[in-house]
Amino acid sequence: MSDQTAFNLADYYDTDTFNRITTFAAGKETPFLVVDTATIDRHYEKMVEAFPYASIYYAVKANPAPQILTMLRDKGANFDIASIYELEKVLALDVSPNRLSYGNTIKKARDIRAFFDKGVRLFATDSEADLRNIARAAPGSRIYVRILTEGTQTADWPLSRKFGCQTDMAMDLLILARDLGLEPYGVSFHVGSQQRDIGAWDAALGKVKVIFERLRDEDGIELKMINMGGGFPANYLTRTNDLATYAAEISRFIREDFGEDFPEIILEPGRSLIANAGVLVSEVVLISRKSRTALHRWIYTDVGKFSGLVETMDESIKFPIYTDKSGEVEDVVIAGPSCDSADIMYENYKYGLPLNLAIGDRLYWLSTGAYTTSYSSIEFNGFPPLKDYYI
Ligand SMILES: *Cc1c(COP(=O)(O)O)cnc(C)c1O
């Protein structure tokens, strides 16, 4: 453990796991991601333990590797699917369609039909046009309406504005769903990914409660399900509460709003299950200063925004970066290898890296199991997609 790190490696990986990953990584050509599946197993178990009453729908987009999907399938997980391509991938692993939900509110009518033909009967929506498409292409299906949530300042990767509708419109849509012969089944929200303010779930559940009560009292519609989305924490540099604290608080919010006999609860974790299982192994390509008197060195690595580190956009996600080198530390700018000046990962937020860090040294990007391989471009500047290994 070097002293340059503003973090404690033990907060992210136990020694065994980290050694297993670095041993596997030794001698392989960088860059690549190593994912420790035992860690995912542990995070999944923790999620089940923390929310014993909930059904878990893994958000496939976080990391669609067959090794992960197979493992979660065998553990009994359900899957939140966003496209026919994800659908085909999951069905190819013999997952029953009644364990799937089509969670994307933006979809073509022919894709809705494809999901329906494959046996999927649970659909998200947030607009009238989409709802009418579902009624035509997936008659009789269960519908949940996604509502807008606040809390974008406290989520490191917000998912607001683009998805969801206002409470009044959500009620209109659920009534219309009934009138179109669909089953108005529930309400969903996503408080934003890596949501650090647990109160965001309280605010969202408050809106859901209003919808449940008004529809029951004024329209005779009994909704059955609340889909609380993702947003649960992974460990990055910016600390969060642990999952048990999230669960205790959120469970309290549910009981305060809905009593002991609360509706069916769905969770759609992605990041919190996968991120901390992964280490992205990279190599320093170049170290330079921009002038004789420049205070900051530039560290260019063989991985960048276009090869897996998209979530460094606006420096949103601050990955812990580990190196074997130690000693005196200096602030650096960290950038990727491509010919695009957007390919700078950290410039405002200054990472301290040891002065003796040299070209050819390895940098280990911790907590990179989620939203890296699936976001990697396919050949910008000819660089291939991010390689990944599952151990
Ligand atoms: C991306 C996404 C998730 C996963 O969110 P995390 O914050 O990664 O857990 C869940 N549900 C939906 C609808 C999503 O789009």
Side-chain angles (χ1 to χ4, degrees), residues 260-271:
E260 276 306 318
D261 198 16
F262 52 80
E264 175 190 345
I265 302 285
I266 283 178
L267 306 177
E268 298 175 330
R271 187 186 300 283

Side-chain angles (χ1 to χ4, degrees), residues 325-354:
K325 288 284 179 74
S326 58
E328 198 189 333
V329 165
E330 188 188 54
D331 286 350
V332 297
V333 177
I334 305 178
S338 73
C339 300
D340 189 320
S341 59
D343 192 12
I344 299 170
M345 284 79 86
Y346 302 112
E347 187 172 17
N348 297 316
Y349 186 89
K350 288 292 182 317
Y351 277 67
L353 287 173

Side-chain angles (χ1 to χ4, degrees), residues 171-186:
M171 291 188 283
D172 292 346
L173 291 175
L174 286 160
I175 293 166
L176 180 60
R178 177 194 61 191
D179 296 344
L180 292 171
L182 296 159
E183 182 181 351
Y185 193 62

Side-chain angles (χ1 to χ4, degrees), residues 176-314:
L176 180 60
R178 177 194 61 191
D179 296 344
L180 292 171
L182 296 159
E183 182 181 351
Y185 193 62
V187 178
S188 75
F189 57 80
H190 194 305
V191 294
S193 198
Q194 190 67 4
Q195 175 57 264
R196 284 178 283 107
D197 177 11
I198 306 177
W201 278 268
D202 196 15
L205 284 165
K207 291 185 177 185
V208 176
K209 176 186 159 84
V210 169
I211 296 171
F212 269 64
E213 285 179 352
R214 288 225 199 124
L215 285 184
R216 183 176 56 230
D217 298 346
E218 294 170 21
D219 303 281
I221 294 175
E222 279 290 345
L223 296 176
K224 298 193 180 70
M225 183 274 281
I226 305 170
N227 178 338
M228 299 201 296
F232 303 98
N235 274 347
Y236 299 113
L237 278 190
T238 311
R239 300 316 307 274
T240 62
N241 283 288
D242 60 14
L243 184 69
T245 306
Y246 277 70
E249 289 294 288
I250 292 169
S251 302
R252 185 167 62 77
F253 303 148
I254 293 174
R255 293 194 167 92
E256 276 172 8
D257 282 336
F258 294 90
E260 276 306 318
D261 198 16
F262 52 80
E264 175 190 345
I265 302 285
I266 283 178
L267 306 177
E268 298 175 330
R271 187 186 300 283
S272 61
L273 293 183
I274 311 294
N276 292 105
V279 174
L280 206 177
V281 185
S282 74
E283 184 182 301
V284 176
V285 177
L286 179 69
I287 299 178
S288 69
R289 289 184 199 268
K290 297 289 179 189
S291 73
R292 289 176 181 171
T293 53
L295 294 172
H296 299 128
R297 284 174 304 155
W298 282 65
I299 309 279
Y300 301 93
T301 71
D302 60 2
V303 68
K305 269 215 176 85
F306 303 106
S307 44
L309 296 172
V310 175
E311 290 199 317
T312 60
M313 206 155 80
D314 299 328

